[in-house]
Amino acid sequence: MENRYLFREAEKIDVKNVFQLILERMQWMDKKAITQWNSTHYDQIYPLSYYEAKREAGELFVLWDTCHQEIVSAGVLLEQDERWSDSSPSLYLHNFVSKLSSNAGANFLKYAELLAKQKQKQFLRLDCAIHNSKLASYYEKLGFQAVGTCKEGDYKGILQQKKIS
């Protein structure tokens, strides 16, 4: 992992910057003709207040770039997730975002894996939209395995997990 990053719980001042990353990613999806967050009103389903509540609960984490003094990736890490029927001790990643043109997402996942290990979890788990094969492939390259599907409203996802060694 690169020493330039600091993985930590989000502070109050970070929440607006995390939400800004979400909005930037949605604009990028529009430009790339990717129909995901941009077409589902993700910023309304998960408004700024959602991230504020997750920060207060100690569930919002950020990856801080010490060279550029900015947040380059963020995500919500949960101890439970109703999308998964299996109750194996796991850490669940949601609302995962990274700055455009960076390798920060992979670094965030490495730190999340370390946190899962510290918490004595068996798996780091996440899901991605079933029609986003590029994102599913990205996670597979990072060691995640597809183990099922989920559905929540109009959202259909692929459940992926990585065994914590």
Side-chain angles (χ1 to χ4, degrees), residues 126-138:
L126 50 79
D127 60 84
C128 69
I130 204 159
H131 65 273
N132 193 336
S133 58
K134 281 188 176 183
L135 185 57
S137 177
Y138 169 78

Side-chain angles (χ1 to χ4, degrees), residues 141-159:
K141 287 177 186 171
L142 294 174
F144 288 83
Q145 294 182 319
V147 294
T149 59
C150 64
K151 184 171 176 10
E152 186 175 315
D154 291 336
Y155 175 74
K156 293 176 185 164
I158 301 170
L159 298 173

Side-chain angles (χ1 to χ4, degrees), residues 3-5 64-70:
N3 290 336
R4 70 187 257 191
Y5 295 121
W64 178 259
D65 184 327
T66 59
C67 294
H68 296 101
Q69 298 293 297
E70 65 179 350

Side-chain angles (χ1 to χ4, degrees), residues 1-90:
M1 280 184 281
E2 297 180 38
N3 290 336
R4 70 187 257 191
Y5 295 121
L6 173 64
F7 179 79
R8 60 175 171 75
E9 279 188 37
E11 299 171 2
K12 189 173 185 172
I13 196 169
D14 297 330
V15 178
K16 287 183 182 176
N17 293 323
V18 169
F19 193 67
Q20 185 59 40
L21 280 178
I22 297 285
L23 297 176
E24 288 171 11
R25 188 55 79 170
M26 289 173 67
Q27 290 174 347
W28 174 83
M29 289 174 183
D30 282 337
K31 289 177 188 171
K32 296 289 184 178
I34 297 170
T35 54
Q36 200 166 320
W37 293 354
N38 53 335
S39 63
T40 61
H41 307 288
Y42 192 83
D43 57 334
Q44 294 171 26
I45 296 168
Y46 301 104
L48 182 62
S49 60
Y50 167 83
Y51 297 96
E52 289 169 341
K54 291 300 179 188
R55 184 207 59 85
E56 287 176 18
E59 297 172 334
L60 180 61
F61 287 78
V62 299
L63 188 65
W64 178 259
D65 184 327
T66 59
C67 294
H68 296 101
Q69 298 293 297
E70 65 179 350
I71 294 170
V72 292
S73 188
V76 172
L77 290 167
L78 305 172
E79 301 264 344
Q80 296 178 14
D81 186 341
E82 69 260 357
R83 291 181 182 170
W84 292 76
S85 58
D86 168 358
S87 61
S88 297
S90 302

